[in-house]
Amino acid sequence: MIATGLVLGAGAFALHAGDIKVDVSKLPPAAGKQGVTFDADIKPIFEKGCFKCHGPEVEKPKGKFRAGTRETVLKGGENGPNVVPGDLAKSPLIAQIAQITSDEDDYMPPKGNKAKIPPLTKDQVGLVRAWIEQGAK
């Protein structure tokens, strides 16, 4: 029998991305914008709030998750995919950035982070929600 363990520190992802339950009822409403795309709408949000730890220039991104391109966001990190196009309930990234996970260690950005990066606004989360619901293009 092999025993495995995991210690979650501030900003670490859950053991498996699927371990994070997404309570869609707690999310801000989706933005009304149609045709939301990663490059035009989501990347600018991630550049401000995520690139310090998950950007393309980071040598060792936290949780091996990179937020620089649509492809790397969909791929996920060491815990598997964080976004499933069209399916909020299977996209733990939305719960992490909305800071509605049951474990505050999963919040992105982490509370009290050293870089003092503030949480995303409800409007920003709503835009990410719309992006996922519209197929994460």
Side-chain angles (χ1 to χ4, degrees):
M1 177 154 94
I2 299 173
T4 60
L6 175 70
V7 176
L8 289 175
F13 285 98
L15 182 58
H16 297 285
D19 291 345
I20 296 174
K21 304 298 179 214
V22 181
D23 184 347
V24 177
S25 70
K26 292 183 179 179
L27 291 172
K33 180 177 181 179
Q34 293 299 310
V36 178
T37 66
F38 182 84
D39 288 334
D41 304 294
I42 305 307
K43 187 174 181 179
I45 294 170
F46 287 178
E47 285 174 340
K48 291 178 186 170
C50 309
F51 272 29
K52 184 109 176 146
C53 299
H54 302 286
E57 303 299 319
V58 177
E59 186 176 330
K60 292 182 180 180
K62 302 234 179 184
K64 296 183 181 176
F65 176 72
R66 291 199 183 271
T69 68
R70 174 187 176 272
E71 291 73 23
T72 59
V73 170
L74 294 179
K75 178 182 174 188
E78 65 187 11
N79 302 310
N82 284 312
V83 172
V84 176
D87 194 342
L88 286 175
K90 293 181 181 173
S91 299
L93 178 72
I94 193 72
Q96 292 172 298
I97 65 170
Q99 300 195 340
I100 61 166
T101 62
S102 60
D103 186 346
E104 288 186 8
D105 284 342
D106 293 323
Y107 286 9
M108 290 293 133
K111 280 190 168 186
N113 64 78
K114 292 177 186 174
K116 299 187 187 320
I117 300 167
L120 273 60
T121 67
K122 288 183 180 189
D123 288 343
Q124 290 171 319
V125 173
L127 195 57
V128 175
R129 176 182 179 160
W131 175 66
I132 295 170
E133 288 179 335
Q134 293 174 23
K137 297 185 176 164

PDB file of all heavy atoms in Angstrom, residues 27-68:
ATOM      1  N   LEU A  27     -22.023  32.443  -7.540  1.00  0.00           N
ATOM      2  CA  LEU A  27     -21.236  33.243  -8.478  1.00  0.00           C
ATOM      3  C   LEU A  27     -21.973  34.521  -8.855  1.00  0.00           C
ATOM      4  O   LEU A  27     -23.200  34.535  -8.934  1.00  0.00           O
ATOM      5  CB  LEU A  27     -20.971  32.450  -9.756  1.00  0.00           C
ATOM      6  CG  LEU A  27     -20.027  31.268  -9.646  1.00  0.00           C
ATOM      7  CD1 LEU A  27     -20.028  30.481 -10.948  1.00  0.00           C
ATOM      8  CD2 LEU A  27     -18.625  31.725  -9.306  1.00  0.00           C
ATOM      9  N   PRO A  28     -21.219  35.574  -9.148  1.00  0.00           N
ATOM     10  CA  PRO A  28     -21.854  36.763  -9.715  1.00  0.00           C
ATOM     11  C   PRO A  28     -22.459  36.398 -11.068  1.00  0.00           C
ATOM     12  O   PRO A  28     -22.020  35.443 -11.709  1.00  0.00           O
ATOM     13  CB  PRO A  28     -20.702  37.757  -9.893  1.00  0.00           C
ATOM     14  CG  PRO A  28     -19.538  37.196  -9.187  1.00  0.00           C
ATOM     15  CD  PRO A  28     -19.778  35.736  -8.982  1.00  0.00           C
ATOM     16  N   PRO A  29     -23.447  37.158 -11.523  1.00  0.00           N
ATOM     17  CA  PRO A  29     -24.034  36.853 -12.827  1.00  0.00           C
ATOM     18  C   PRO A  29     -23.013  37.013 -13.952  1.00  0.00           C
ATOM     19  O   PRO A  29     -22.064  37.786 -13.835  1.00  0.00           O
ATOM     20  CB  PRO A  29     -25.171  37.877 -12.971  1.00  0.00           C
ATOM     21  CG  PRO A  29     -24.872  38.942 -11.978  1.00  0.00           C
ATOM     22  CD  PRO A  29     -24.035  38.336 -10.897  1.00  0.00           C
ATOM     23  N   ALA A  30     -23.261  36.286 -15.023  1.00  0.00           N
ATOM     24  CA  ALA A  30     -22.384  36.396 -16.193  1.00  0.00           C
ATOM     25  C   ALA A  30     -22.524  37.783 -16.797  1.00  0.00           C
ATOM     26  O   ALA A  30     -23.601  38.383 -16.774  1.00  0.00           O
ATOM     27  CB  ALA A  30     -22.754  35.333 -17.225  1.00  0.00           C
ATOM     28  N   ALA A  31     -21.430  38.284 -17.328  1.00  0.00           N
ATOM     29  CA  ALA A  31     -21.466  39.561 -18.039  1.00  0.00           C
ATOM     30  C   ALA A  31     -22.401  39.424 -19.234  1.00  0.00           C
ATOM     31  O   ALA A  31     -22.518  38.351 -19.822  1.00  0.00           O
ATOM     32  CB  ALA A  31     -20.061  39.937 -18.502  1.00  0.00           C
ATOM     33  N   GLY A  32     -23.045  40.509 -19.594  1.00  0.00           N
ATOM     34  CA  GLY A  32     -23.978  40.490 -20.709  1.00  0.00           C
ATOM     35  C   GLY A  32     -23.314  40.477 -22.074  1.00  0.00           C
ATOM     36  O   GLY A  32     -23.986  40.303 -23.081  1.00  0.00           O
ATOM     37  N   LYS A  33     -22.011  40.639 -22.101  1.00  0.00           N
ATOM     38  CA  LYS A  33     -21.283  40.702 -23.373  1.00  0.00           C
ATOM     39  C   LYS A  33     -21.328  39.354 -24.086  1.00  0.00           C
ATOM     40  O   LYS A  33     -21.101  38.310 -23.486  1.00  0.00           O
ATOM     41  CB  LYS A  33     -19.839  41.119 -23.120  1.00  0.00           C
ATOM     42  CG  LYS A  33     -19.014  41.222 -24.363  1.00  0.00           C
ATOM     43  CD  LYS A  33     -17.610  41.704 -24.086  1.00  0.00           C
ATOM     44  CE  LYS A  33     -16.854  41.793 -25.411  1.00  0.00           C
ATOM     45  NZ  LYS A  33     -15.499  42.260 -25.237  1.00  0.00           N
ATOM     46  N   GLN A  34     -21.589  39.391 -25.372  1.00  0.00           N
ATOM     47  CA  GLN A  34     -21.539  38.193 -26.205  1.00  0.00           C
ATOM     48  C   GLN A  34     -20.193  38.145 -26.928  1.00  0.00           C
ATOM     49  O   GLN A  34     -19.557  39.168 -27.158  1.00  0.00           O
ATOM     50  CB  GLN A  34     -22.684  38.199 -27.220  1.00  0.00           C
ATOM     51  CG  GLN A  34     -24.055  38.060 -26.575  1.00  0.00           C
ATOM     52  CD  GLN A  34     -24.205  36.762 -25.801  1.00  0.00           C
ATOM     53  OE1 GLN A  34     -23.905  35.681 -26.306  1.00  0.00           O
ATOM     54  NE2 GLN A  34     -24.639  36.861 -24.551  1.00  0.00           N
ATOM     55  N   GLY A  35     -19.773  36.954 -27.297  1.00  0.00           N
ATOM     56  CA  GLY A  35     -18.527  36.811 -28.043  1.00  0.00           C
ATOM     57  C   GLY A  35     -17.287  37.065 -27.215  1.00  0.00           C
ATOM     58  O   GLY A  35     -16.278  37.547 -27.731  1.00  0.00           O
ATOM     59  N   VAL A  36     -17.322  36.727 -25.934  1.00  0.00           N
ATOM     60  CA  VAL A  36     -16.162  36.909 -25.050  1.00  0.00           C
ATOM     61  C   VAL A  36     -15.046  35.969 -25.502  1.00  0.00           C
ATOM     62  O   VAL A  36     -15.284  34.786 -25.745  1.00  0.00           O
ATOM     63  CB  VAL A  36     -16.540  36.630 -23.576  1.00  0.00           C
ATOM     64  CG1 VAL A  36     -15.328  36.779 -22.672  1.00  0.00           C
ATOM     65  CG2 VAL A  36     -17.671  37.536 -23.125  1.00  0.00           C
ATOM     66  N   THR A  37     -13.841  36.512 -25.640  1.00  0.00           N
ATOM     67  CA  THR A  37     -12.694  35.691 -26.026  1.00  0.00           C
ATOM     68  C   THR A  37     -11.569  35.851 -25.011  1.00  0.00           C
ATOM     69  O   THR A  37     -11.490  36.858 -24.310  1.00  0.00           O
ATOM     70  CB  THR A  37     -12.145  36.073 -27.423  1.00  0.00           C
ATOM     71  OG1 THR A  37     -11.594  37.388 -27.369  1.00  0.00           O
ATOM     72  CG2 THR A  37     -13.223  35.969 -28.493  1.00  0.00           C
ATOM     73  N   PHE A  38     -10.715  34.860 -24.973  1.00  0.00           N
ATOM     74  CA  PHE A  38      -9.593  34.910 -24.046  1.00  0.00           C
ATOM     75  C   PHE A  38      -8.696  36.104 -24.341  1.00  0.00           C
ATOM     76  O   PHE A  38      -8.405  36.908 -23.458  1.00  0.00           O
ATOM     77  CB  PHE A  38      -8.778  33.609 -24.090  1.00  0.00           C
ATOM     78  CG  PHE A  38      -7.646  33.628 -23.096  1.00  0.00           C
ATOM     79  CD1 PHE A  38      -7.871  33.272 -21.779  1.00  0.00           C
ATOM     80  CD2 PHE A  38      -6.377  34.026 -23.469  1.00  0.00           C
ATOM     81  CE1 PHE A  38      -6.836  33.317 -20.846  1.00  0.00           C
ATOM     82  CE2 PHE A  38      -5.339  34.081 -22.545  1.00  0.00           C
ATOM     83  CZ  PHE A  38      -5.575  33.724 -21.227  1.00  0.00           C
ATOM     84  N   ASP A  39      -8.256  36.213 -25.596  1.00  0.00           N
ATOM     85  CA  ASP A  39      -7.271  37.252 -25.925  1.00  0.00           C
ATOM     86  C   ASP A  39      -7.794  38.665 -25.696  1.00  0.00           C
ATOM     87  O   ASP A  39      -7.083  39.513 -25.160  1.00  0.00           O
ATOM     88  CB  ASP A  39      -6.778  37.092 -27.365  1.00  0.00           C
ATOM     89  CG  ASP A  39      -5.866  35.886 -27.526  1.00  0.00           C
ATOM     90  OD1 ASP A  39      -5.228  35.471 -26.544  1.00  0.00           O
ATOM     91  OD2 ASP A  39      -5.806  35.347 -28.648  1.00  0.00           O
ATOM     92  N   ALA A  40      -9.036  38.928 -26.074  1.00  0.00           N
ATOM     93  CA  ALA A  40      -9.568  40.291 -25.968  1.00  0.00           C
ATOM     94  C   ALA A  40     -10.083  40.631 -24.574  1.00  0.00           C
ATOM     95  O   ALA A  40      -9.947  41.777 -24.131  1.00  0.00           O
ATOM     96  CB  ALA A  40     -10.699  40.490 -26.987  1.00  0.00           C
ATOM     97  N   ASP A  41     -10.644  39.659 -23.873  1.00  0.00           N
ATOM     98  CA  ASP A  41     -11.368  39.972 -22.637  1.00  0.00           C
ATOM     99  C   ASP A  41     -10.771  39.375 -21.363  1.00  0.00           C
ATOM    100  O   ASP A  41     -10.766  40.021 -20.325  1.00  0.00           O
ATOM    101  CB  ASP A  41     -12.821  39.484 -22.768  1.00  0.00           C
ATOM    102  CG  ASP A  41     -13.518  40.067 -23.971  1.00  0.00           C
ATOM    103  OD1 ASP A  41     -13.722  41.297 -23.988  1.00  0.00           O
ATOM    104  OD2 ASP A  41     -13.859  39.310 -24.903  1.00  0.00           O
ATOM    105  N   ILE A  42     -10.278  38.157 -21.435  1.00  0.00           N
ATOM    106  CA  ILE A  42      -9.846  37.451 -20.228  1.00  0.00           C
ATOM    107  C   ILE A  42      -8.366  37.650 -19.941  1.00  0.00           C
ATOM    108  O   ILE A  42      -7.971  37.892 -18.799  1.00  0.00           O
ATOM    109  CB  ILE A  42     -10.181  35.940 -20.337  1.00  0.00           C
ATOM    110  CG1 ILE A  42     -11.673  35.747 -20.626  1.00  0.00           C
ATOM    111  CG2 ILE A  42      -9.754  35.199 -19.077  1.00  0.00           C
ATOM    112  CD1 ILE A  42     -12.624  36.454 -19.666  1.00  0.00           C
ATOM    113  N   LYS A  43      -7.548  37.604 -20.956  1.00  0.00           N
ATOM    114  CA  LYS A  43      -6.102  37.765 -20.747  1.00  0.00           C
ATOM    115  C   LYS A  43      -5.763  39.074 -20.033  1.00  0.00           C
ATOM    116  O   LYS A  43      -4.929  39.064 -19.116  1.00  0.00           O
ATOM    117  CB  LYS A  43      -5.345  37.655 -22.069  1.00  0.00           C
ATOM    118  CG  LYS A  43      -3.844  37.656 -21.890  1.00  0.00           C
ATOM    119  CD  LYS A  43      -3.115  37.406 -23.192  1.00  0.00           C
ATOM    120  CE  LYS A  43      -1.617  37.394 -22.973  1.00  0.00           C
ATOM    121  NZ  LYS A  43      -0.906  37.130 -24.247  1.00  0.00           N
ATOM    122  N   PRO A  44      -6.398  40.213 -20.396  1.00  0.00           N
ATOM    123  CA  PRO A  44      -6.075  41.445 -19.658  1.00  0.00           C
ATOM    124  C   PRO A  44      -6.395  41.353 -18.152  1.00  0.00           C
ATOM    125  O   PRO A  44      -5.657  41.913 -17.336  1.00  0.00           O
ATOM    126  CB  PRO A  44      -6.950  42.507 -20.335  1.00  0.00           C
ATOM    127  CG  PRO A  44      -7.182  41.978 -21.716  1.00  0.00           C
ATOM    128  CD  PRO A  44      -7.263  40.482 -21.552  1.00  0.00           C
ATOM    129  N   ILE A  45      -7.436  40.637 -17.800  1.00  0.00           N
ATOM    130  CA  ILE A  45      -7.769  40.438 -16.380  1.00  0.00           C
ATOM    131  C   ILE A  45      -6.687  39.587 -15.728  1.00  0.00           C
ATOM    132  O   ILE A  45      -6.192  39.899 -14.643  1.00  0.00           O
ATOM    133  CB  ILE A  45      -9.147  39.762 -16.229  1.00  0.00           C
ATOM    134  CG1 ILE A  45     -10.250  40.692 -16.726  1.00  0.00           C
ATOM    135  CG2 ILE A  45      -9.389  39.347 -14.772  1.00  0.00           C
ATOM    136  CD1 ILE A  45     -11.618  40.012 -16.828  1.00  0.00           C
ATOM    137  N   PHE A  46      -6.318  38.501 -16.385  1.00  0.00           N
ATOM    138  CA  PHE A  46      -5.313  37.596 -15.840  1.00  0.00           C
ATOM    139  C   PHE A  46      -3.942  38.266 -15.766  1.00  0.00           C
ATOM    140  O   PHE A  46      -3.170  37.981 -14.851  1.00  0.00           O
ATOM    141  CB  PHE A  46      -5.240  36.308 -16.653  1.00  0.00           C
ATOM    142  CG  PHE A  46      -6.410  35.366 -16.449  1.00  0.00           C
ATOM    143  CD1 PHE A  46      -6.484  34.184 -17.152  1.00  0.00           C
ATOM    144  CD2 PHE A  46      -7.438  35.652 -15.567  1.00  0.00           C
ATOM    145  CE1 PHE A  46      -7.539  33.297 -16.972  1.00  0.00           C
ATOM    146  CE2 PHE A  46      -8.500  34.789 -15.375  1.00  0.00           C
ATOM    147  CZ  PHE A  46      -8.547  33.605 -16.089  1.00  0.00           C
ATOM    148  N   GLU A  47      -3.633  39.140 -16.718  1.00  0.00           N
ATOM    149  CA  GLU A  47      -2.348  39.846 -16.669  1.00  0.00           C
ATOM    150  C   GLU A  47      -2.219  40.657 -15.386  1.00  0.00           C
ATOM    151  O   GLU A  47      -1.151  40.702 -14.784  1.00  0.00           O
ATOM    152  CB  GLU A  47      -2.191  40.766 -17.883  1.00  0.00           C
ATOM    153  CG  GLU A  47      -1.872  40.023 -19.161  1.00  0.00           C
ATOM    154  CD  GLU A  47      -1.868  40.910 -20.395  1.00  0.00           C
ATOM    155  OE1 GLU A  47      -2.459  42.013 -20.376  1.00  0.00           O
ATOM    156  OE2 GLU A  47      -1.266  40.484 -21.397  1.00  0.00           O
ATOM    157  N   LYS A  48      -3.298  41.276 -14.960  1.00  0.00           N
ATOM    158  CA  LYS A  48      -3.268  42.101 -13.744  1.00  0.00           C
ATOM    159  C   LYS A  48      -3.337  41.269 -12.475  1.00  0.00           C
ATOM    160  O   LYS A  48      -2.712  41.616 -11.475  1.00  0.00           O
ATOM    161  CB  LYS A  48      -4.440  43.087 -13.758  1.00  0.00           C
ATOM    162  CG  LYS A  48      -4.305  44.152 -14.807  1.00  0.00           C
ATOM    163  CD  LYS A  48      -5.506  45.067 -14.798  1.00  0.00           C
ATOM    164  CE  LYS A  48      -5.425  46.056 -15.948  1.00  0.00           C
ATOM    165  NZ  LYS A  48      -6.674  46.792 -16.122  1.00  0.00           N
ATOM    166  N   GLY A  49      -4.118  40.188 -12.496  1.00  0.00           N
ATOM    167  CA  GLY A  49      -4.368  39.466 -11.264  1.00  0.00           C
ATOM    168  C   GLY A  49      -3.683  38.126 -11.112  1.00  0.00           C
ATOM    169  O   GLY A  49      -3.655  37.585 -10.013  1.00  0.00           O
ATOM    170  N   CYS A  50      -3.117  37.585 -12.189  1.00  0.00           N
ATOM    171  CA  CYS A  50      -2.613  36.215 -12.110  1.00  0.00           C
ATOM    172  C   CYS A  50      -1.157  36.043 -12.558  1.00  0.00           C
ATOM    173  O   CYS A  50      -0.510  35.080 -12.169  1.00  0.00           O
ATOM    174  CB  CYS A  50      -3.480  35.293 -12.974  1.00  0.00           C
ATOM    175  SG  CYS A  50      -5.248  35.409 -12.671  1.00  0.00           S
ATOM    176  N   PHE A  51      -0.666  36.958 -13.403  1.00  0.00           N
ATOM    177  CA  PHE A  51       0.628  36.752 -14.043  1.00  0.00           C
ATOM    178  C   PHE A  51       1.806  36.770 -13.078  1.00  0.00           C
ATOM    179  O   PHE A  51       2.845  36.202 -13.374  1.00  0.00           O
ATOM    180  CB  PHE A  51       0.849  37.781 -15.151  1.00  0.00           C
ATOM    181  CG  PHE A  51       0.311  37.348 -16.487  1.00  0.00           C
ATOM    182  CD1 PHE A  51      -0.770  36.490 -16.598  1.00  0.00           C
ATOM    183  CD2 PHE A  51       0.885  37.830 -17.649  1.00  0.00           C
ATOM    184  CE1 PHE A  51      -1.270  36.103 -17.823  1.00  0.00           C
ATOM    185  CE2 PHE A  51       0.400  37.446 -18.889  1.00  0.00           C
ATOM    186  CZ  PHE A  51      -0.671  36.581 -18.983  1.00  0.00           C
ATOM    187  N   LYS A  52       1.670  37.407 -11.936  1.00  0.00           N
ATOM    188  CA  LYS A  52       2.782  37.461 -10.980  1.00  0.00           C
ATOM    189  C   LYS A  52       3.197  36.038 -10.567  1.00  0.00           C
ATOM    190  O   LYS A  52       4.387  35.754 -10.406  1.00  0.00           O
ATOM    191  CB  LYS A  52       2.383  38.271  -9.757  1.00  0.00           C
ATOM    192  CG  LYS A  52       3.496  38.467  -8.767  1.00  0.00           C
ATOM    193  CD  LYS A  52       3.947  39.891  -8.790  1.00  0.00           C
ATOM    194  CE  LYS A  52       4.983  40.096  -7.727  1.00  0.00           C
ATOM    195  NZ  LYS A  52       5.971  41.038  -8.127  1.00  0.00           N
ATOM    196  N   CYS A  53       2.221  35.150 -10.439  1.00  0.00           N
ATOM    197  CA  CYS A  53       2.499  33.767 -10.031  1.00  0.00           C
ATOM    198  C   CYS A  53       2.297  32.746 -11.149  1.00  0.00           C
ATOM    199  O   CYS A  53       2.850  31.650 -11.087  1.00  0.00           O
ATOM    200  CB  CYS A  53       1.603  33.370  -8.859  1.00  0.00           C
ATOM    201  SG  CYS A  53       1.839  34.372  -7.383  1.00  0.00           S
ATOM    202  N   HIS A  54       1.468  33.102 -12.158  1.00  0.00           N
ATOM    203  CA  HIS A  54       1.092  32.132 -13.187  1.00  0.00           C
ATOM    204  C   HIS A  54       1.347  32.620 -14.614  1.00  0.00           C
ATOM    205  O   HIS A  54       0.805  32.064 -15.564  1.00  0.00           O
ATOM    206  CB  HIS A  54      -0.399  31.779 -13.049  1.00  0.00           C
ATOM    207  CG  HIS A  54      -0.767  31.222 -11.714  1.00  0.00           C
ATOM    208  ND1 HIS A  54      -0.444  29.945 -11.324  1.00  0.00           N
ATOM    209  CD2 HIS A  54      -1.424  31.788 -10.668  1.00  0.00           C
ATOM    210  CE1 HIS A  54      -0.903  29.743 -10.096  1.00  0.00           C
ATOM    211  NE2 HIS A  54      -1.494  30.846  -9.673  1.00  0.00           N
ATOM    212  N   GLY A  55       2.139  33.661 -14.771  1.00  0.00           N
ATOM    213  CA  GLY A  55       2.381  34.239 -16.089  1.00  0.00           C
ATOM    214  C   GLY A  55       3.402  33.482 -16.912  1.00  0.00           C
ATOM    215  O   GLY A  55       4.130  32.622 -16.404  1.00  0.00           O
ATOM    216  N   PRO A  56       3.485  33.829 -18.194  1.00  0.00           N
ATOM    217  CA  PRO A  56       4.406  33.131 -19.089  1.00  0.00           C
ATOM    218  C   PRO A  56       5.872  33.355 -18.762  1.00  0.00           C
ATOM    219  O   PRO A  56       6.718  32.552 -19.138  1.00  0.00           O
ATOM    220  CB  PRO A  56       4.056  33.691 -20.474  1.00  0.00           C
ATOM    221  CG  PRO A  56       3.280  34.930 -20.234  1.00  0.00           C
ATOM    222  CD  PRO A  56       2.672  34.827 -18.873  1.00  0.00           C
ATOM    223  N   GLU A  57       6.184  34.426 -18.046  1.00  0.00           N
ATOM    224  CA  GLU A  57       7.579  34.726 -17.709  1.00  0.00           C
ATOM    225  C   GLU A  57       8.028  34.099 -16.387  1.00  0.00           C
ATOM    226  O   GLU A  57       9.202  34.151 -16.042  1.00  0.00           O
ATOM    227  CB  GLU A  57       7.786  36.250 -17.641  1.00  0.00           C
ATOM    228  CG  GLU A  57       7.403  36.982 -18.919  1.00  0.00           C
ATOM    229  CD  GLU A  57       8.213  36.538 -20.132  1.00  0.00           C
ATOM    230  OE1 GLU A  57       9.431  36.326 -19.990  1.00  0.00           O
ATOM    231  OE2 GLU A  57       7.607  36.395 -21.210  1.00  0.00           O
ATOM    232  N   VAL A  58       7.088  33.513 -15.651  1.00  0.00           N
ATOM    233  CA  VAL A  58       7.415  32.906 -14.360  1.00  0.00           C
ATOM    234  C   VAL A  58       8.112  31.569 -14.599  1.00  0.00           C
ATOM    235  O   VAL A  58       7.589  30.701 -15.309  1.00  0.00           O
ATOM    236  CB  VAL A  58       6.133  32.704 -13.509  1.00  0.00           C
ATOM    237  CG1 VAL A  58       6.461  31.997 -12.206  1.00  0.00           C
ATOM    238  CG2 VAL A  58       5.461  34.033 -13.243  1.00  0.00           C
ATOM    239  N   GLU A  59       9.311  31.421 -14.026  1.00  0.00           N
ATOM    240  CA  GLU A  59      10.091  30.207 -14.261  1.00  0.00           C
ATOM    241  C   GLU A  59       9.380  28.962 -13.731  1.00  0.00           C
ATOM    242  O   GLU A  59       9.303  27.943 -14.410  1.00  0.00           O
ATOM    243  CB  GLU A  59      11.473  30.328 -13.615  1.00  0.00           C
ATOM    244  CG  GLU A  59      12.385  29.176 -13.949  1.00  0.00           C
ATOM    245  CD  GLU A  59      13.779  29.349 -13.380  1.00  0.00           C
ATOM    246  OE1 GLU A  59      14.243  30.494 -13.233  1.00  0.00           O
ATOM    247  OE2 GLU A  59      14.410  28.324 -13.076  1.00  0.00           O
ATOM    248  N   LYS A  60       8.876  29.043 -12.491  1.00  0.00           N
ATOM    249  CA  LYS A  60       8.173  27.907 -11.884  1.00  0.00           C
ATOM    250  C   LYS A  60       6.815  28.404 -11.391  1.00  0.00           C
ATOM    251  O   LYS A  60       6.671  28.825 -10.240  1.00  0.00           O
ATOM    252  CB  LYS A  60       8.984  27.341 -10.718  1.00  0.00           C
ATOM    253  CG  LYS A  60      10.276  26.678 -11.144  1.00  0.00           C
ATOM    254  CD  LYS A  60      11.005  26.094  -9.951  1.00  0.00           C
ATOM    255  CE  LYS A  60      12.305  25.441 -10.404  1.00  0.00           C
ATOM    256  NZ  LYS A  60      13.028  24.858  -9.271  1.00  0.00           N
ATOM    257  N   PRO A  61       5.797  28.357 -12.264  1.00  0.00           N
ATOM    258  CA  PRO A  61       4.488  28.875 -11.864  1.00  0.00           C
ATOM    259  C   PRO A  61       3.879  28.033 -10.742  1.00  0.00           C
ATOM    260  O   PRO A  61       4.053  26.818 -10.695  1.00  0.00           O
ATOM    261  CB  PRO A  61       3.657  28.777 -13.142  1.00  0.00           C
ATOM    262  CG  PRO A  61       4.317  27.722 -13.949  1.00  0.00           C
ATOM    263  CD  PRO A  61       5.781  27.788 -13.607  1.00  0.00           C
ATOM    264  N   LYS A  62       3.180  28.706  -9.846  1.00  0.00           N
ATOM    265  CA  LYS A  62       2.541  28.022  -8.723  1.00  0.00           C
ATOM    266  C   LYS A  62       1.561  26.981  -9.254  1.00  0.00           C
ATOM    267  O   LYS A  62       0.801  27.239 -10.169  1.00  0.00           O
ATOM    268  CB  LYS A  62       1.811  29.024  -7.842  1.00  0.00           C
ATOM    269  CG  LYS A  62       2.737  30.081  -7.316  1.00  0.00           C
ATOM    270  CD  LYS A  62       2.666  30.185  -5.850  1.00  0.00           C
ATOM    271  CE  LYS A  62       3.649  31.265  -5.442  1.00  0.00           C
ATOM    272  NZ  LYS A  62       3.779  31.426  -4.067  1.00  0.00           N
ATOM    273  N   GLY A  63       1.617  25.800  -8.682  1.00  0.00           N
ATOM    274  CA  GLY A  63       0.734  24.715  -9.080  1.00  0.00           C
ATOM    275  C   GLY A  63       0.934  24.270 -10.524  1.00  0.00           C
ATOM    276  O   GLY A  63       0.096  23.578 -11.090  1.00  0.00           O
ATOM    277  N   LYS A  64       2.062  24.682 -11.131  1.00  0.00           N
ATOM    278  CA  LYS A  64       2.372  24.385 -12.534  1.00  0.00           C
ATOM    279  C   LYS A  64       1.253  24.859 -13.468  1.00  0.00           C
ATOM    280  O   LYS A  64       1.051  24.318 -14.541  1.00  0.00           O
ATOM    281  CB  LYS A  64       2.660  22.898 -12.736  1.00  0.00           C
ATOM    282  CG  LYS A  64       3.889  22.427 -11.982  1.00  0.00           C
ATOM    283  CD  LYS A  64       4.189  20.983 -12.245  1.00  0.00           C
ATOM    284  CE  LYS A  64       5.430  20.564 -11.441  1.00  0.00           C
ATOM    285  NZ  LYS A  64       5.721  19.145 -11.587  1.00  0.00           N
ATOM    286  N   PHE A  65       0.530  25.897 -13.031  1.00  0.00           N
ATOM    287  CA  PHE A  65      -0.565  26.459 -13.821  1.00  0.00           C
ATOM    288  C   PHE A  65      -0.119  27.767 -14.447  1.00  0.00           C
ATOM    289  O   PHE A  65       0.376  28.652 -13.764  1.00  0.00           O
ATOM    290  CB  PHE A  65      -1.784  26.698 -12.924  1.00  0.00           C
ATOM    291  CG  PHE A  65      -2.926  27.369 -13.636  1.00  0.00           C
ATOM    292  CD1 PHE A  65      -3.682  26.683 -14.573  1.00  0.00           C
ATOM    293  CD2 PHE A  65      -3.243  28.687 -13.365  1.00  0.00           C
ATOM    294  CE1 PHE A  65      -4.733  27.303 -15.236  1.00  0.00           C
ATOM    295  CE2 PHE A  65      -4.290  29.320 -14.015  1.00  0.00           C
ATOM    296  CZ  PHE A  65      -5.037  28.623 -14.956  1.00  0.00           C
ATOM    297  N   ARG A  66      -0.296  27.872 -15.742  1.00  0.00           N
ATOM    298  CA  ARG A  66       0.035  29.099 -16.465  1.00  0.00           C
ATOM    299  C   ARG A  66      -1.244  29.723 -16.999  1.00  0.00           C
ATOM    300  O   ARG A  66      -2.099  29.034 -17.542  1.00  0.00           O
ATOM    301  CB  ARG A  66       0.980  28.814 -17.618  1.00  0.00           C
ATOM    302  CG  ARG A  66       2.357  28.405 -17.148  1.00  0.00           C
ATOM    303  CD  ARG A  66       3.376  28.569 -18.257  1.00  0.00           C
ATOM    304  NE  ARG A  66       4.679  28.119 -17.825  1.00  0.00           N
ATOM    305  CZ  ARG A  66       5.580  28.897 -17.221  1.00  0.00           C
ATOM    306  NH1 ARG A  66       5.312  30.156 -16.988  1.00  0.00           N
ATOM    307  NH2 ARG A  66       6.749  28.413 -16.858  1.00  0.00           N
ATOM    308  N   ALA A  67      -1.350  31.047 -16.853  1.00  0.00           N
ATOM    309  CA  ALA A  67      -2.545  31.775 -17.259  1.00  0.00           C
ATOM    310  C   ALA A  67      -2.310  32.648 -18.486  1.00  0.00           C
ATOM    311  O   ALA A  67      -3.109  33.517 -18.779  1.00  0.00           O
ATOM    312  CB  ALA A  67      -3.040  32.632 -16.092  1.00  0.00           C
ATOM    313  N   GLY A  68      -1.247  32.399 -19.238  1.00  0.00           N
ATOM    314  CA  GLY A  68      -0.863  33.284 -20.328  1.00  0.00           C
ATOM    315  C   GLY A  68      -1.604  33.109 -21.635  1.00  0.00           C
ATOM    316  O   GLY A  68      -1.721  34.046 -22.417  1.00  0.00           O
TER     317      GLY A  68
END
